[in-house]
Structure formats: structure tokens, C-alpha cells
Amino acid sequence: MIRRRPPRGPGRHRDGLPRAAVHRRLWDGPARAEAERLDHAWPRWAVLYGTGSRLFYAVAAWPAPEPLILHDRTPEGLEERMRAAENAHATGPLPAAPERQRRIVPAPHEPVPFQPVPEPVPFRSVPVPREPVEP
């Protein structure tokens, strides 16, 4: 028989023991704050921090002949690379930075059209001739 457990709140818990609250960690908080600062200071770039790779990334938000993604271990190094990339790619004035949405908008839900599943083909076994095995 399947028994339903009562809903539990967040935290560590086991059957028969009281819940213990778990401290939520903010991984690499100062580095993420620095990436946010760079993102606001450089409007033509989207700046991110990878908590797994521990690298700062910059993605060009202006039209470029090919996608332009830079990375560095330090924010200062990333800023130098961003300056160099803008100087290398700027043959004239750079276009104005596009307005970026700062909020997450859910994607519209479109129903998937129904497609019937085809009938499976019956399996037919075919006899395979076997050669005699010598001892």
C-alpha cells in the first residue's frame, strides 16, 4: 500500500526527526556583485559570472560579424579585453546600446498539435541458418 507523506518545508529532515533549517548560501557573492556592476557600467555588453568556472564573461550586445564572447579570471582583465575588442571592431561609431529588459518574462504557451502514434509493425522472427560448431 502506498502511503502519502505530509508536505514538508525546506530543510534537512528524516522520518521521525524534527526539521533542521539549512542556511542558504550565496556562492561567490562579491564576484557576482562585481559582474552586476560591470553589466551596468558597460551598456554595450552583457556581463555574467560563472560560479562553476569562476570566470567573468562578457557577451557583445552590439551587432558584430560573429558572436563576440570574452572571458577572464578578474573583472579588471575582462574590462581590458572589452576595451580592446571595442577598439578592434569599431570601424566607425558603435551603434547605440539596445534597451535590455531586466525582468524575466515567461514564454507564451502554445498547445502542441495532436499527432496520432503510428501502429507498430508486428515483429517477425526470421530463422537464421547456423553452421555446425566443431568440438
Side-chain angles (χ1 to χ4, degrees):
M1 182 171 179
I2 299 174
R3 71 178 176 119
R4 295 201 127 155
R5 295 182 176 168
R8 299 178 180 164
R12 293 187 190 130
H13 46 269
R14 291 189 182 153
D15 285 337
L17 297 176
R19 281 187 235 138
V22 176
H23 174 69
R24 182 171 180 233
R25 291 185 180 182
L26 178 64
W27 296 100
D28 298 326
R32 292 170 75 182
E34 187 65 22
E36 185 73 22
R37 183 195 66 78
L38 286 175
D39 190 43
H40 289 295
W42 293 79
R44 292 188 179 100
W45 295 86
V47 180
L48 312 162
Y49 178 74
T51 55
S53 63
R54 301 252 170 118
L55 293 174
F56 290 90
Y57 293 93
V59 181
W62 38 273
E66 58 187 35
L68 183 57
I69 303 171
L70 307 174
H71 63 85
D72 201 284
R73 292 211 171 271
T74 64
E76 295 82 18
L78 184 65
E79 282 185 296
E80 289 176 21
R81 289 178 185 241
M82 289 161 54
R83 260 189 224 100
E86 282 187 354
N87 290 336
H89 286 83
T91 56
L94 289 175
E99 290 294 323
R100 291 190 277 171
Q101 281 188 340
R102 292 290 179 179
R103 61 187 181 95
I104 298 173
V105 179
H109 176 69
E110 295 179 12
V112 178
F114 175 75
Q115 296 178 354
V117 177
E119 289 292 323
V121 178
F123 177 74
R124 295 182 185 162
S125 62
V126 178
V128 179
R130 297 185 184 208
E131 297 183 18
V133 179
E134 296 181 16

